[in-house]
């Protein structure tokens, strides 16, 4: 059971827009800790997609947009492409116990 | 360009200690700008943070693993290492080493990942 909750799967047709939610609590996202997103293509290591809630690293298309509000964050992907089919993970920090880095359970994006 | 490469035994017996090393090339592990960490991914499951280390030697561990984990830095070899004791089949996973950036432990995120190495715990 992950501290950050993501839907197991989402899907969309090419060209469409999808959103992936990441729901936390008052000890992580709700406490103001930043949210970061990673994309994991099949058989590869994860790759940084969004950092500090809304920022894209160099090379990440502006089709990928991050947002954060209250105890949740979202990743929106517009203009879906076949190459976007991957696992997506959110990451934040939780202040419970001694404090630790937490990941969401991951969301599988299928491009129909 | 920064590269991280994991190395170590791929097969570990139950109750023994898993040991992995991450060799950093293209940057100094002694940089005060970064943290260095380990993250694992069991088969068909999500990512689990194991722990981080700062160049000064300060460490941060996942509370669920803290009694079994040690992360250390060897600046002379530009490497950092993971030791996980008393392993069981549940520790079977792909282990990634990573560079983290953010300035403070609670602000960190991974900007560079190693390719990952599969470790199987089995007799």
């Amino acid at each position: 059971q992950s501290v950050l909750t993501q839907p197991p799967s989402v899907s969309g047709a090419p060209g469409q827009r999808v959103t992936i939610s990441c729901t936390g609590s008052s000890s992580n996202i709700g406490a103001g800790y930043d949210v970061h997103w990673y994309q994991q293509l099949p058989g590869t290591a994860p790759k940084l997609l969004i950092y500090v809630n809304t920022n894209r690293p160099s090379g990440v298309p502006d089709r990928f947009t991050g947002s954060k509000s209250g105890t949740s964050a979202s990743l929106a992907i517009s203009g879906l492409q076949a190459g976007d089919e991957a696992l997506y993970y959110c990451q934040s920090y939780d202040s419970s116990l001694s404090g630790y880095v937490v990941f969401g359970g991951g969301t599988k994006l299928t491009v129909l | 360009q920064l590269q991280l490469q994991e190395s170590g035994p791929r097969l570990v017996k139950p109750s023994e200690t898993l040991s992995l090393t991450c060799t950093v090339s293209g940057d100094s592990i002694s940089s005060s700008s970064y943290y260095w960490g380990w993250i694992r991914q069991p088969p068909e499951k999500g990512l689990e943070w194991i722990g981080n280390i700062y160049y000064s030697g300060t460490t941060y561990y996942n509370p669920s693993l803290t009694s079994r984990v040690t992360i250390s830095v060897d600046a002379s070899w530009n490497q950092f290492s993971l030791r996980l004791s008393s392993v069981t089949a549940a520790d079977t996973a792909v282990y990634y080493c990573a560079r983290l950036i953010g300035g403070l432990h609670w602000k960190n995120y991974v900007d560079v990942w190693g390719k990952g190495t599969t470790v199987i715990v089995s007799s």
Side-chain angles (χ1 to χ4, degrees):
Chain A
Q1 195 81 1
S2 302
V3 171
L4 303 178
T5 301
Q6 297 180 235
S9 63
V10 297
S11 62
Q16 285 189 333
R17 180 179 185 270
V18 297
T19 61
I20 298 172
S21 61
C22 175
T23 303
S25 67
S26 58
S27 62
N28 43 68
I29 299 175
Y33 294 109
D34 295 324
V35 178
H36 321 286
W37 292 89
Y38 304 92
Q39 177 193 58
Q40 186 176 33
L41 296 169
T44 70
K47 166 194 151 186
L48 180 65
L49 197 64
I50 297 287
Y51 66 96
V52 189
N53 307 316
T54 62
N55 299 281
R56 282 183 302 274
S58 172
V60 173
D62 60 6
R63 299 187 297 107
F64 295 89
T65 305
S67 63
K68 176 189 160 189
S69 179
T71 58
S72 294
S74 291
L75 173 69
I77 310 171
S78 60
L80 268 182
Q81 300 176 0
D84 297 334
E85 193 159 288
L87 284 162
Y88 292 84
Y89 293 93
C90 59
Q91 178 240 309
S92 186
Y93 182 85
D94 194 287
S95 60
S96 64
L97 301 174
S98 54
Y100 59 111
V101 174
V102 290
F103 286 96
T107 299
K108 167 68 174 170
L109 168 63
T110 300
V111 180
L112 301 170
Chain B
Q1 180 169 343
L2 180 72
Q3 288 190 320
L4 306 177
Q5 179 65 59
E6 305 90 348
S7 60
R10 301 295 196 267
L11 182 64
V12 182
K13 289 183 169 52
S15 80
E16 295 190 345
T17 295
L18 179 160
S19 295
L20 294 175
T21 296
C22 183
T23 301
V24 179
S25 57
D27 194 6
S28 171
I29 203 167
S30 298
S31 169
S32 60
S33 300
Y34 307 111
Y35 288 67
W36 307 91
W38 292 93
I39 294 153
R40 70 181 182 179
Q41 185 171 30
E44 304 304 318
K45 292 190 177 180
L47 302 170
E48 180 181 32
W49 174 69
I50 299 172
N52 296 342
I53 189 165
Y54 194 45
Y55 80 101
S56 61
T58 302
T59 52
Y60 306 88
Y61 298 138
N62 188 320
S64 68
L65 298 170
T66 190
S67 63
R68 299 195 291 131
V69 172
T70 303
I71 297 176
S72 58
V73 163
D74 187 336
S76 60
W77 289 95
N78 222 37
Q79 296 175 332
F80 62 104
S81 298
L82 167 70
R83 287 173 57 85
L84 182 65
S85 64
S86 305
V87 297
T88 68
D91 296 308
T92 292
V94 176
Y95 285 76
Y96 296 100
C97 63
R99 187 180 79 172
L100 297 99
I101 190 170
L104 296 167
H105 170 51
W106 54 88
K107 296 180 76 65
N108 278 335
Y109 55 92
V110 178
D111 69 334
V112 180
W113 296 75
K115 286 187 166 65
T117 186
T118 299
V119 178
I120 297 171
V121 178
S122 175
S123 55

